[in-house]
Amino acid sequence: QASKGQKASCLQEKHFDIHIFFKTGAAMDKQLSTEQLMLLENLMYVGGDNSITATKAETVGDWLSTLNGDNVGASDMMDNGEWNDILGAVKSDDTLMSLRIGSVHVDSGDGGGDGVSAVFVNPDSKEAVFAFKGTETNEWKDDFVGGASTDQADGVSTAQQENALKWFRLKKDEGDYSSVTVLGHSKGGNKAKYITVMDDSVDRCVSMDGQGF
């Protein structure tokens, strides 16, 4: 269970229900901190022409170089000042700014709902962070489907959970990583926990407000 300090957001003292799982023997000293992961997950909500799915940048630093609270293109759930706080915190963190954007994915597979995910790789520690955004417009049905028996082969999983796992395994096998972290907020947190349950290669899972099973 996360400590009280770990649960505190960098913004406006807002709080999240955070679940953190570590594999025994994981190299925790070389992994991004919980606070750094929270900042990284916030970036999954940058919208419009500056979103993670639209950028051609190779690093977080390149991606954020021209971004501020006025052009972040996100929803009205956070105001410009809050976005400036987030972007300022990321820009002041050399490790986060150096992260390589390894792959970006939109779930258009069978039963997919355009869910967004991305791989960030620390060039120094070789940690890979698989980050999953929260529910997209076409993912709400899958949220409710997961609350009961499903039509998938195991009778428990949902199509979008299985799609997330398939993409994770594909991209994980393409790299040589020192450790693997899965990260997500809301539905993205559920996907992160599902992958952790289903794949033993995960070293750490950080789920923020992710629904259970």
Side-chain angles (χ1 to χ4, degrees):
Q1 182 176 358
S3 68
K4 181 178 179 181
Q6 288 173 318
K7 288 184 179 179
S9 168
C10 66
L11 293 175
Q12 307 295 322
E13 294 299 319
K14 294 176 181 176
H15 296 274
F16 295 95
D17 181 17
I18 300 181
H19 297 96
I20 305 173
F21 307 92
F22 290 98
K23 177 185 289 186
T24 302
M28 296 171 55
D29 59 323
K30 296 182 179 180
Q31 294 175 328
L32 296 180
S33 69
T34 304
E35 289 77 12
Q36 287 173 314
L37 291 173
M38 291 178 71
L39 288 170
L40 193 60
E41 179 65 18
N42 273 294
L43 297 183
M44 298 297 289
Y45 288 88
V46 172
D49 293 338
N50 294 312
S51 69
I52 186 70
T53 59
T55 185
K56 302 298 183 182
E58 295 184 357
T59 68
V60 170
D62 290 340
W63 177 27
L64 301 191
S65 61
T66 60
L67 281 184
N68 56 57
D70 296 323
N71 67 3
V72 75
S75 70
D76 58 2
M77 290 186 289
M78 291 190 291
D79 61 33
N80 292 3
E82 290 176 319
W83 269 113
N84 279 325
D85 286 343
I86 289 173
L87 295 174
V90 176
K91 290 178 180 181
S92 67
D93 189 311
D94 291 340
T95 299
L96 289 179
M97 292 290 277
S98 71
L99 294 179
R100 181 169 55 84
I101 303 173
S103 180
V104 178
H105 177 68
V106 177
D107 180 13
S108 58
D110 292 342
D114 300 325
V116 177
S117 52
V119 186
F120 299 92
V121 182
N122 186 326
D124 295 322
S125 70
K126 306 303 180 185
E127 176 188 13
V129 178
F130 292 77
F132 293 85
K133 186 181 177 182
T135 308
E136 292 287 1
T137 301
N138 295 324
E139 291 191 304
W140 284 105
K141 181 179 178 180
D142 192 81
D143 287 346
F144 288 97
V145 168
S149 298
T150 71
D151 294 332
Q152 302 306 109
D154 62 8
V156 178
S157 303
T158 72
Q160 290 167 21
Q161 288 172 336
E162 291 187 344
N163 289 351
L165 176 63
K166 181 178 179 180
W167 173 78
F168 165 79
R169 285 175 167 165
L170 176 67
K171 294 303 173 183
K172 181 251 305 176
D173 290 343
E174 290 179 354
D176 182 18
Y177 306 123
S178 64
S179 67
V180 173
T181 294
V182 287
L183 164 71
H185 164 249
S186 191
K187 185 174 184 66
N190 174 267
K191 291 175 181 177
K193 289 190 284 189
Y194 177 81
I195 291 168
T196 302
V197 170
M198 300 298 289
D199 196 298
D200 289 339
S201 67
V202 175
D203 295 295
R204 176 174 57 159
C205 171
V206 179
S207 171
M208 293 171 278
D209 286 339
Q211 65 267 39
F213 301 98

